[in-house]
Amino acid sequence: MESVAHSIGLSAVMTWTLLKVLIVFGSVMGVSSLWTWVERRGSAMLQDRIGPNRALLFGRWQLLGLPQLVADGLKFFFKEDQVPPHVTKRLYWIAPMLAFVPALIGFAVIPFGRSFSYQGALYHLSILEPGNGMGMLYPLAIGAVAVYGILVAAWSSNNKWAILGGMRASAQMVSYEISMGLAVLAIFMKVGGYDPGEIITEQAGVLWKVLPNWFIFRQPLGFLVFFVCMFAETNRLPFDFAEGESEIVAGFHTEFGSMKFALLALAEYAHMTTASALIATVYFGGWSVPFMPEAPVLLTILFFLIKLLFFMWVFVWVRWTLPRFRYDQLMFLGWKVLLPISMVNLIGNAWWMTRGGH
Amino acid sequence: MRGYAPILLLLLICIATPPLVWGLARLLRPKAPNANKYMVYECGITPVTQAREKFSVRYYLVAVMFLIFDVETVFLMPWAIQIKELALFGLVEMLFFLFLLLFGYGYIWAKGALTWE
């Protein structure tokens, strides 16, 4: 590390931070774009279709349709990028960035592996060092900013479909945010802090001698609420009222094309990646390996990846299995079902804690 | 790199990416505008009114209710991480607050503000 840092003229700490930032940025972007392929192949698998198989690498190798990713990417570059006269220009350009940036930077506090020491120095595998004070509040706050991307995109398009989609999505996201916050609050209560590192340490060990000590087994009710809210927050089916192909064409990005659309689509998948990482960290022990308290660092990274990718697959799985909700059903579920459940979960946990439980 | 500087670095990279890809696409893409392409998309029908019109008041109601409950969540956070120290006293104090809030929740429920038709 020292020699590499010296050769590029930066201090060791800065090199390490830069490396982590690039790794996280690259992985989130890579996984997000890969998932546009997984989504199509997965949907084809679940619905007994073939899926993308026509794009061939050098006109020869099919590779399970993977070249489709390259083909799509190239096509986005070669598409005409029109800015119609009826849009609000400045907001129209800013909207894809407003959607893209929060989706990616939410990942910054999530640890993706066990901290390790090398040649006397301690290295943490998360962009922000643990003990930074904001902890899990940060991804929740950044997730709340994501609603602006959709709302600004919808408003700037000056299109009826777009405004319908944007209004629906913003109302939906703010409705589910409350239950999500209350569900995570019960976790903070158990842990006694916001730090994701502490949340993971709290989940180490064994529950009832057979299960890993994950929060999903200790707070199943909270997990249910959080899990459902994550689908609503990322605008994924069964709650994709922002897009709703069968009702409002393409919703908030009806007027977007070319690279601007690519960024909006990528933002959705990046948001999904962050949401999966949150679920894995808060309820499934993050990088911790079940029944192996002293797991090697590489194994912890591998386990984090497995959990992350599993939950991203669940997003796809649910999308192609469940039908879409009706809007009044969505509001009913958010305000009249999930909010009372998360309240009961919170008060029940608080009572249990004050009685000396843990 | 102590404190929040790494987030700033990530933020800068994220902000720089869209202009980069837009700039690259600008070199590659064609530009052939015409009046039909520039029309507002409404499934081919010529739009008759502006899109930015009066909107259902329920959405504003949701926004107001969100503010109330979200501020409440934020208010609960410091209490939640101190629950072990505050113990039963803290819980009872918080239940007074929650009672007021849940009373309001019951009220808006009874008023039908949470019902969409």
Side-chain angles (χ1 to χ4, degrees), chain A residues 29 77 259 263, chain B residues 16-27 29:
Chain A
M29 288 281 276
F77 276 103
M259 218 58 214
L263 286 175
Chain B
T17 312
L20 264 177
V21 290
W22 282 332
L24 190 59
R26 199 193 177 94
L27 301 173
R29 70 190 176 213

Side-chain angles (χ1 to χ4, degrees), chain A residues 80 88 132 155 255 335, chain B residues 4 37-38 41-42 52 105:
Chain A
E80 181 186 357
T88 309
N132 52 61
W155 175 257
E255 292 283 328
W335 286 101
Chain B
Y4 303 140
K37 273 190 202 166
Y38 276 177
Y41 182 77
E42 283 191 15
R52 292 163 186 170
Y105 177 65

